[in-house]
PDB file of all heavy atoms in Angstrom:
ATOM      1  N   GLY A1753     -69.347  19.380 -85.276  1.00 96.00           N
ATOM      2  CA  GLY A1753     -69.478  17.944 -85.473  1.00 96.00           C
ATOM      3  C   GLY A1753     -69.486  17.257 -84.118  1.00 96.00           C
ATOM      4  O   GLY A1753     -69.214  17.846 -83.074  1.00 96.00           O
ATOM      5  N   VAL A1754     -69.800  15.978 -84.112  1.00 96.00           N
ATOM      6  CA  VAL A1754     -69.720  15.144 -82.910  1.00 96.00           C
ATOM      7  C   VAL A1754     -68.994  13.865 -83.265  1.00 96.00           C
ATOM      8  O   VAL A1754     -69.350  13.202 -84.260  1.00 96.00           O
ATOM      9  CB  VAL A1754     -71.111  14.817 -82.340  1.00 96.00           C
ATOM     10  CG1 VAL A1754     -71.005  13.751 -81.234  1.00 96.00           C
ATOM     11  CG2 VAL A1754     -71.777  16.063 -81.772  1.00 96.00           C
ATOM     12  N   CYS A1755     -67.946  13.561 -82.506  1.00 91.00           N
ATOM     13  CA  CYS A1755     -67.229  12.303 -82.768  1.00 91.00           C
ATOM     14  C   CYS A1755     -67.282  11.382 -81.556  1.00 91.00           C
ATOM     15  O   CYS A1755     -66.503  10.433 -81.458  1.00 91.00           O
ATOM     16  CB  CYS A1755     -65.772  12.589 -83.155  1.00 91.00           C
ATOM     17  SG  CYS A1755     -64.858  13.544 -81.929  1.00 91.00           S
ATOM     18  N   GLY A1756     -68.172  11.658 -80.609  1.00 78.00           N
ATOM     19  CA  GLY A1756     -68.323  10.811 -79.430  1.00 78.00           C
ATOM     20  C   GLY A1756     -69.274   9.670 -79.649  1.00 78.00           C
ATOM     21  O   GLY A1756     -69.864   9.520 -80.738  1.00 78.00           O
ATOM     22  N   GLY A1757     -69.497   8.876 -78.609  1.00 80.00           N
ATOM     23  CA  GLY A1757     -70.242   7.637 -78.724  1.00 80.00           C
ATOM     24  C   GLY A1757     -71.654   7.778 -79.230  1.00 80.00           C
ATOM     25  O   GLY A1757     -72.132   6.961 -80.024  1.00 80.00           O
ATOM     26  N   ILE A1758     -72.400   8.819 -78.814  1.00 89.00           N
ATOM     27  CA  ILE A1758     -73.815   8.889 -79.203  1.00 89.00           C
ATOM     28  C   ILE A1758     -73.997   9.224 -80.677  1.00 89.00           C
ATOM     29  O   ILE A1758     -75.092   9.064 -81.212  1.00 89.00           O
ATOM     30  CB  ILE A1758     -74.610   9.873 -78.330  1.00 89.00           C
ATOM     31  CG1 ILE A1758     -74.036  11.295 -78.416  1.00 89.00           C
ATOM     32  CG2 ILE A1758     -74.696   9.411 -76.908  1.00 89.00           C
ATOM     33  CD1 ILE A1758     -74.930  12.327 -77.738  1.00 89.00           C
ATOM     34  N   ALA A1759     -72.932   9.679 -81.356  1.00 92.00           N
ATOM     35  CA  ALA A1759     -73.079   9.940 -82.787  1.00 92.00           C
ATOM     36  C   ALA A1759     -73.383   8.664 -83.558  1.00 92.00           C
ATOM     37  O   ALA A1759     -74.049   8.694 -84.598  1.00 92.00           O
ATOM     38  CB  ALA A1759     -71.798  10.578 -83.334  1.00 92.00           C
ATOM     39  N   GLY A1760     -72.907   7.533 -83.047  1.00 88.00           N
ATOM     40  CA  GLY A1760     -73.124   6.258 -83.731  1.00 88.00           C
ATOM     41  C   GLY A1760     -74.378   5.535 -83.316  1.00 88.00           C
ATOM     42  O   GLY A1760     -74.664   4.437 -83.813  1.00 88.00           O
ATOM     43  N   ASP A1761     -75.137   6.096 -82.401  1.00 87.00           N
ATOM     44  CA  ASP A1761     -76.422   5.543 -81.994  1.00 87.00           C
ATOM     45  C   ASP A1761     -77.515   6.206 -82.828  1.00 87.00           C
ATOM     46  O   ASP A1761     -77.586   7.454 -82.888  1.00 87.00           O
ATOM     47  CB  ASP A1761     -76.647   5.795 -80.494  1.00 87.00           C
ATOM     48  CG  ASP A1761     -78.027   5.354 -80.035  1.00 87.00           C
ATOM     49  OD1 ASP A1761     -78.211   4.162 -79.810  1.00 87.00           O
ATOM     50  OD2 ASP A1761     -78.903   6.238 -79.914  1.00 87.00           O
ATOM     51  N   ALA A1762     -78.364   5.435 -83.463  1.00 89.00           N
ATOM     52  CA  ALA A1762     -79.337   6.005 -84.390  1.00 89.00           C
ATOM     53  C   ALA A1762     -80.206   7.050 -83.720  1.00 89.00           C
ATOM     54  O   ALA A1762     -80.456   8.136 -84.278  1.00 89.00           O
ATOM     55  CB  ALA A1762     -80.189   4.900 -85.002  1.00 89.00           C
ATOM     56  N   PHE A1763     -80.697   6.785 -82.515  1.00 92.00           N
ATOM     57  CA  PHE A1763     -81.528   7.754 -81.814  1.00 92.00           C
ATOM     58  C   PHE A1763     -80.692   8.955 -81.379  1.00 92.00           C
ATOM     59  O   PHE A1763     -81.119  10.115 -81.523  1.00 92.00           O
ATOM     60  CB  PHE A1763     -82.168   7.089 -80.594  1.00 92.00           C
ATOM     61  CG  PHE A1763     -82.970   8.044 -79.749  1.00 92.00           C
ATOM     62  CD1 PHE A1763     -84.076   8.706 -80.261  1.00 92.00           C
ATOM     63  CD2 PHE A1763     -82.625   8.264 -78.420  1.00 92.00           C
ATOM     64  CE1 PHE A1763     -84.822   9.591 -79.479  1.00 92.00           C
ATOM     65  CE2 PHE A1763     -83.368   9.136 -77.627  1.00 92.00           C
ATOM     66  CZ  PHE A1763     -84.470   9.796 -78.158  1.00 92.00           C
ATOM     67  N   GLY A1764     -79.474   8.704 -80.880  1.00 93.00           N
ATOM     68  CA  GLY A1764     -78.587   9.796 -80.493  1.00 93.00           C
ATOM     69  C   GLY A1764     -78.251  10.688 -81.673  1.00 93.00           C
ATOM     70  O   GLY A1764     -78.229  11.923 -81.557  1.00 93.00           O
ATOM     71  N   ALA A1765     -78.014  10.076 -82.832  1.00 95.00           N
ATOM     72  CA  ALA A1765     -77.702  10.852 -84.037  1.00 95.00           C
ATOM     73  C   ALA A1765     -78.873  11.739 -84.431  1.00 95.00           C
ATOM     74  O   ALA A1765     -78.701  12.888 -84.854  1.00 95.00           O
ATOM     75  CB  ALA A1765     -77.336   9.911 -85.174  1.00 95.00           C
ATOM     76  N   ALA A1766     -80.091  11.217 -84.303  1.00 95.00           N
ATOM     77  CA  ALA A1766     -81.276  12.006 -84.636  1.00 95.00           C
ATOM     78  C   ALA A1766     -81.387  13.220 -83.713  1.00 95.00           C
ATOM     79  O   ALA A1766     -81.691  14.335 -84.167  1.00 95.00           O
ATOM     80  CB  ALA A1766     -82.523  11.137 -84.522  1.00 95.00           C
ATOM     81  N   LEU A1767     -81.112  13.013 -82.421  1.00 96.00           N
ATOM     82  CA  LEU A1767     -81.144  14.124 -81.467  1.00 96.00           C
ATOM     83  C   LEU A1767     -80.094  15.176 -81.803  1.00 96.00           C
ATOM     84  O   LEU A1767     -80.364  16.384 -81.782  1.00 96.00           O
ATOM     85  CB  LEU A1767     -80.906  13.596 -80.047  1.00 96.00           C
ATOM     86  CG  LEU A1767     -82.125  13.234 -79.209  1.00 96.00           C
ATOM     87  CD1 LEU A1767     -81.688  12.674 -77.874  1.00 96.00           C
ATOM     88  CD2 LEU A1767     -83.020  14.448 -79.010  1.00 96.00           C
ATOM     89  N   LEU A1768     -78.885  14.736 -82.093  1.00 97.00           N
ATOM     90  CA  LEU A1768     -77.783  15.657 -82.394  1.00 97.00           C
ATOM     91  C   LEU A1768     -78.099  16.489 -83.642  1.00 97.00           C
ATOM     92  O   LEU A1768     -77.838  17.700 -83.674  1.00 97.00           O
ATOM     93  CB  LEU A1768     -76.484  14.869 -82.587  1.00 97.00           C
ATOM     94  CG  LEU A1768     -75.931  14.188 -81.329  1.00 97.00           C
ATOM     95  CD1 LEU A1768     -74.765  13.270 -81.698  1.00 97.00           C
ATOM     96  CD2 LEU A1768     -75.479  15.231 -80.302  1.00 97.00           C
ATOM     97  N   ALA A1769     -78.623  15.836 -84.652  1.00 97.00           N
ATOM     98  CA  ALA A1769     -78.987  16.574 -85.862  1.00 97.00           C
ATOM     99  C   ALA A1769     -80.035  17.641 -85.539  1.00 97.00           C
ATOM    100  O   ALA A1769     -79.973  18.760 -86.035  1.00 97.00           O
ATOM    101  CB  ALA A1769     -79.501  15.604 -86.932  1.00 97.00           C
ATOM    102  N   GLY A1770     -81.000  17.274 -84.695  1.00 96.00           N
ATOM    103  CA  GLY A1770     -82.023  18.233 -84.315  1.00 96.00           C
ATOM    104  C   GLY A1770     -81.474  19.386 -83.508  1.00 96.00           C
ATOM    105  O   GLY A1770     -82.021  20.504 -83.542  1.00 96.00           O
ATOM    106  N   LEU A1771     -80.370  19.175 -82.790  1.00 97.00           N
ATOM    107  CA  LEU A1771     -79.736  20.245 -82.014  1.00 97.00           C
ATOM    108  C   LEU A1771     -78.913  21.165 -82.890  1.00 97.00           C
ATOM    109  O   LEU A1771     -78.429  22.191 -82.405  1.00 97.00           O
ATOM    110  CB  LEU A1771     -78.844  19.632 -80.919  1.00 97.00           C
ATOM    111  CG  LEU A1771     -79.571  18.964 -79.744  1.00 97.00           C
ATOM    112  CD1 LEU A1771     -78.592  18.200 -78.888  1.00 97.00           C
ATOM    113  CD2 LEU A1771     -80.324  20.006 -78.902  1.00 97.00           C
TER     114      LEU A1771
END
Side-chain angles (χ1 to χ4, degrees):
V1754 170
C1755 57
I1758 59 171
D1761 174 80
F1763 176 62
L1767 267 177
L1768 293 171
L1771 288 170

